[in-house]
Amino acid sequence: MQNKLTWAALTLLIGVSISTTTRAQSRGQGRPAPASMPGTFTFIPKADLEAVMGPTRGDRPARVVNVSSGANLGAFILHYPPAKSPMPPASFYHSEISELYYVIRGEGTALLGGELENPAWRPTNTTSFKQVSGPGVAGTLKNYKTQKWGPGDIIIVPAGVPHTIGFEVTVTNDILRVVIDPKRDLNLVTTREQSLAAARAEEQGQGQAAPAKPGPPSMPGTFTFVPKGDVNALMGPTRGDRPVRVVPVGNNANLGAFILHYETMKNTLPVTSFYHSEISELYYVIRGSGTALVGGEMENPTWDDSKSDAIRQVRGPSVNGTMKNYKTVKWTAGDTFIVPAGVPHSMGFEVTERSDMLRVVFDPRKNIQLK
């Protein structure tokens, strides 16, 4: 009788264990994962952004690099001196590229949305096509909305939405333009030297335009304007990675703007961190200073719980573990990082003063909840 009871109890324990393991595995939690995935982070020091800030009007690449899902991610500087465009307004849209604009300095007025009259495909054999815009359609803008912008504001423009960001510029501006290039139409720009060469090529002319072909007046999509007040509201008071907006864009992806806020702190070694398996990111340091650990690989890597709030609202699918063979990079206001999917990172390993980063997220499979 005792043997029968003992065997029954053991069977019950095994059943509970299997049930618990199955539930954990169904969430992905604790399953072994790759130590890293193919990809390389890019650090853009503030000086490299400033090198393409003027002196003349232009849209200039600081970096354009490969990320996951067969896409490129680019950081551009859009520089405008004071000016006002004539009426009726000429405008355009990108047919594949989606963008996020963050106003670093300056003030002006954008014309957004609506549709184009006499739309025609832009020529494909120009410097602008290969370095800045990719495929797109130009025409005369109608039924648009007028939006004033200033420092700290964000504008998200999906592919297919007409826009003239600098219709009127009242104070000389520099805008960080983050580009999602889903079909890798744009030339890669992986170094400061290539960035400066692209700026010089812009000044030398656009090349011979090909005959225009009629295009659609617009494509499905809606622009999003985020005022500075909404951004600043997420800057603290405690450490956190908080969504400002997450919206659908072209090619069945989401594009998100987050604020990553840090109070002063320093982690201890070894460092437990993570990588995103699908999401790629750009970090722009709005204020503060600190040290990041980036790259390398994970020891004892395991998948995070796919049902957790952090995964659904902030990270998307991710892998955690102990970082090794990483690089240490100091950062300060005006610096930028591009971190493709699969690259381990701990952006706030050490924070020497209160800091806020704009985190721009390319979510190619729409894992993160919309906001």
Side-chain angles (χ1 to χ4, degrees):
M1 181 69 176
Q2 185 176 3
N3 288 339
K4 289 183 179 180
L5 289 174
T6 302
W7 176 252
L10 181 60
T11 302
L12 178 62
L13 285 172
I14 293 172
V16 170
S17 175
I18 292 173
S19 175
T20 302
T21 301
T22 302
R23 287 198 299 270
Q25 289 177 342
S26 71
R27 296 195 303 266
Q29 183 181 15
R31 284 189 299 116
S36 65
M37 297 168 60
T40 304
F41 79 91
T42 299
F43 175 67
I44 312 171
K46 177 182 178 180
D48 285 14
L49 288 184
E50 291 180 335
V52 290
M53 290 180 177
T56 57
R57 179 184 179 106
D59 191 348
R60 305 178 179 105
R63 298 291 189 278
V64 180
V65 300
N66 293 153
V67 292
S68 65
S69 300
N72 289 335
L73 196 156
F76 290 69
I77 288 293
L78 188 56
H79 177 84
Y80 292 131
K84 185 173 182 178
S85 302
M87 296 289 287
S91 190
F92 71 99
Y93 65 79
H94 310 277
S95 60
E96 295 176 4
I97 284 172
S98 296
E99 304 158 303
L100 180 146
Y101 296 88
Y102 175 76
V103 183
I104 298 172
R105 62 179 64 86
E107 297 176 1
T109 300
L111 307 182
L112 303 167
E115 57 273 343
L116 301 175
E117 287 185 332
N118 303 314
W121 286 98
R122 304 175 86 182
T124 61
N125 59 341
T126 65
T127 302
S128 176
F129 178 94
K130 292 178 287 185
Q131 291 188 170
V132 178
S133 65
V137 174
T140 301
L141 190 57
K142 65 177 183 178
N143 300 327
Y144 52 83
K145 293 186 178 180
T146 301
Q147 179 62 62
K148 291 185 178 295
W149 47 259
D153 292 338
I154 293 172
I155 303 172
I156 301 174
V157 182
V161 176
H163 55 288
T164 300
I165 299 297
F167 172 71
E168 181 177 10
V169 178
T170 51
V171 178
T172 299
N173 79 272
D174 289 293
I175 297 174
L176 174 65
R177 173 179 170 249
V178 181
V179 170
I180 306 302
D181 176 17
K183 297 183 180 179
R184 295 184 173 172
D185 290 301
L186 299 181
N187 293 341
L188 294 181
V189 177
T190 59
T191 66
R192 175 187 173 95
E193 291 70 27
Q194 290 177 352
S195 173
L196 296 176
R200 290 192 296 269
E202 176 192 59
E203 295 172 358
Q204 292 169 2
Q206 294 296 320
Q208 184 65 40
K213 297 179 180 179
S218 65
M219 295 168 60
T222 304
F223 77 88
T224 300
F225 176 73
V226 187
K228 176 183 179 179
D230 287 11
V231 178
N232 289 354
L234 300 176
M235 293 181 175
T238 57
R239 175 186 176 126
D241 192 348
R242 304 176 176 103
V244 181
R245 297 290 188 279
V246 180
V247 299
V249 292
N251 288 275
N252 201 35
N254 288 339
L255 182 56
F258 291 69
I259 288 295
L260 184 57
H261 177 81
Y262 291 119
E263 298 292 320
T264 55
M265 58 165 291
K266 184 174 182 178
N267 285 313
T268 57
L269 294 172
V271 174
T272 300
S273 192
F274 68 97
Y275 66 78
H276 312 274
S277 61
E278 296 177 8
I279 283 171
S280 296
E281 305 160 301
L282 178 145
Y283 294 87
Y284 173 75
V285 184
I286 298 172
R287 62 172 178 168
S289 59
T291 301
L293 308 183
V294 195
E297 57 273 344
M298 298 289 197
E299 287 186 333
N300 303 315
T302 57
W303 288 98
D304 287 314
D305 181 358
S306 62
K307 293 186 177 181
S308 71
D309 288 343
I311 300 304
R312 292 183 292 112
Q313 297 174 9
V314 179
R315 287 190 187 182
S318 64
V319 171
N320 72 81
T322 302
M323 290 185 73
K324 64 177 183 178
N325 300 326
Y326 49 80
K327 292 186 178 180
T328 302
V329 184
K330 291 186 178 296
W331 49 260
T332 190
D335 291 339
T336 304
F337 291 82
I338 298 175
V339 182
V343 176
H345 54 288
S346 176
M347 303 309 297
F349 169 70
E350 181 178 8
V351 181
T352 50
E353 57 182 312
R354 201 167 189 254
S355 301
D356 290 290
M357 294 184 182
L358 171 65
R359 174 178 167 252
V360 181
V361 169
F362 169 49
D363 178 13
R365 296 185 182 177
K366 294 189 171 182
N367 286 297
I368 295 180
Q369 294 175 355
L370 297 180
K371 180 182 179 184

